[in-house]
Amino acid sequence: MQPSRRLRLFARSLACSFVSIALLTPALPVAAEQIALGQSELCGLDTFRPDRAGTLREQVVEGRNGPLAYYRFGHGTPVVLITGYRASIAEWDAYFLGELARHHDVIVFDNRGVGRSTGVTGRYGPDYGMRDMAADAADLIAKLGLRRVAVVGWSMGGMIAQELVAGSHRGIDRLVLIATAPPGPRATPLAATTGEVLSSHGPDAFGKIMGVLFPPDALSDAMKCFASDMFALPGYKETPFDDAVAAQQNRAMERWFADAAAANALRRVTVPTLIVAGERDDVLAHANAEALNELIPRSQLRIVDDAGHAMMFQYPLALARMIDAFVQR
């Protein structure tokens, strides 16, 4: 064999080896990007909101733990949204959902124990965690026969979404995590005083809760427009939030912040992931998003200037368009 030919064969073999290594090595997370979404869109929007179409009806599927209540609207690739602590379907911003529905088949549902998603004692018993609530989301996706799904999780819903893709991400094409936190010791849990505010009752509770969900310069608009911008559907029976369910969600989050095994599982997630955090989030600090970005290999992080924890109410159209661009990519 001529030396030059041997050299060419060696070079080709070496190149193939590097290609194989590249294919087997998870993509690195993309460095954080600081962005601005323009003027706050809270208050005064005049655009489509699906809850005023007059055609939506609440539907129910049976999951392994009991009924799961959901609404479905829009056209396009499916997007399943998972809501947060002490939240129901109604806590989504209607304009945010409407903007997503322009290009997507949008599914919103209540976590177990909320609204008509009443199963809290089935095979998992009354004590349940993120993995159990992720199983509920997986049941909904399977029962609806969804394929190439984008899962969007906000706050505690982002924790459920992480558990969902870490456990089994068959059929999940994209993951979007908004204002949430990773599992394990690298997380920065919400302060006890913040948790007390979010769980508060009484005539002054609304103002206190708005004060931790929004930065000071958005608070006035939030006080005026938060309730009117909520996803308000005729026929949706939002029951008072059960204190036992809130306590269980609290326990689930406490275990989440101590779950090192779940953090290690995220390192093996291959689903492309968009992490969005508010620079002025007083509930779950954006240090959580930075930790998530380091844990999830194929992730990108965007930190939004002047955004608080409920950024889908502050920037409903801009945030929906950001998600749409990521899902369609």
Side-chain angles (χ1 to χ4, degrees), residues 28-47:
L28 293 174
V30 177
E33 181 183 359
Q34 191 92 15
I35 64 168
L37 294 182
Q39 183 177 358
S40 172
E41 297 160 339
L42 196 75
C43 282
L45 288 176
D46 183 19
T47 186

Side-chain angles (χ1 to χ4, degrees), residues 251-301:
R251 287 192 291 272
M253 286 192 289
E254 287 170 3
R255 291 199 293 266
W256 178 254
F257 292 130
D259 194 342
N264 288 332
L266 286 179
R267 300 182 189 277
R268 299 188 293 274
V269 167
T270 58
V271 176
T273 302
L274 173 64
I275 303 164
V276 188
E279 184 185 36
R280 303 178 71 183
D281 190 337
D282 288 338
V283 178
L284 292 171
H286 64 75
N288 285 300
E290 292 161 359
L292 270 172
N293 188 219
E294 294 176 9
L295 280 173
I296 301 176
R298 300 182 66 185
S299 64
Q300 53 185 277
L301 169 60

Side-chain angles (χ1 to χ4, degrees), residues 13-253:
S13 175
L14 190 64
C16 289
S17 297
F18 280 126
V19 169
S20 299
I21 292 169
L23 291 173
L24 292 171
T25 303
L28 293 174
V30 177
E33 181 183 359
Q34 191 92 15
I35 64 168
L37 294 182
Q39 183 177 358
S40 172
E41 297 160 339
L42 196 75
C43 282
L45 288 176
D46 183 19
T47 186
F48 172 66
R49 48 184 295 170
D51 54 346
R52 290 181 179 167
T55 57
L56 294 184
R57 296 293 180 270
E58 189 175 25
Q59 302 178 73
V60 176
V61 298
E62 281 296 323
R64 71 194 76 181
N65 187 62
L68 296 167
Y70 70 96
Y71 284 88
R72 186 174 186 177
F73 47 89
H75 301 281
T77 54
V79 176
V80 173
L81 295 103
I82 309 177
T83 194
Y85 172 68
R86 288 185 61 90
S88 70
I89 289 171
E91 264 75 29
W92 290 110
D93 181 279
Y95 299 106
F96 169 72
L97 296 180
E99 189 66 21
L100 282 177
R102 292 182 187 278
H103 302 110
H104 300 284
D105 175 12
V106 176
I107 298 99
V108 291
F109 71 101
D110 276 330
N111 291 318
R112 64 169 69 181
V114 181
R116 291 176 64 196
S117 296
T118 54
V120 293
T121 60
R123 71 185 267 195
Y124 295 114
D127 185 56
Y128 54 88
M130 299 302 169
R131 183 176 300 178
D132 305 316
M133 289 186 279
D136 296 338
D139 286 348
L140 179 68
I141 290 169
K143 292 280 185 172
L144 297 182
L146 303 179
R147 300 288 184 271
R148 301 195 66 185
V149 182
V151 173
V152 179
W154 171 67
S155 194
M156 187 191 77
M159 302 170 197
I160 297 168
Q162 291 169 58
E163 189 68 74
L164 176 62
V165 296
S168 173
H169 50 73
R170 286 178 297 175
I172 299 177
D173 200 52
R174 292 287 189 275
L175 175 64
V176 180
L177 303 174
I178 304 171
T180 190
R186 296 191 61 189
T188 304
L190 70 167
T193 52
T194 301
E196 290 170 4
V197 169
L198 293 174
S199 302
S200 59
H201 301 278
D204 59 344
F206 179 73
K208 290 179 180 178
I209 292 170
M210 293 297 99
V212 297
L213 291 181
F214 294 93
D217 56 352
L219 185 55
S220 176
D221 274 355
M223 294 290 288
K224 288 186 294 184
C225 300
F226 181 88
S228 61
D229 287 357
M230 288 168 63
F231 188 55
L233 285 149
Y236 174 67
K237 302 299 183 185
E238 185 184 9
T239 57
F241 206 96
D242 192 298
D243 286 342
V245 174
Q248 182 56 53
Q249 290 184 355
N250 263 318
R251 287 192 291 272
M253 286 192 289

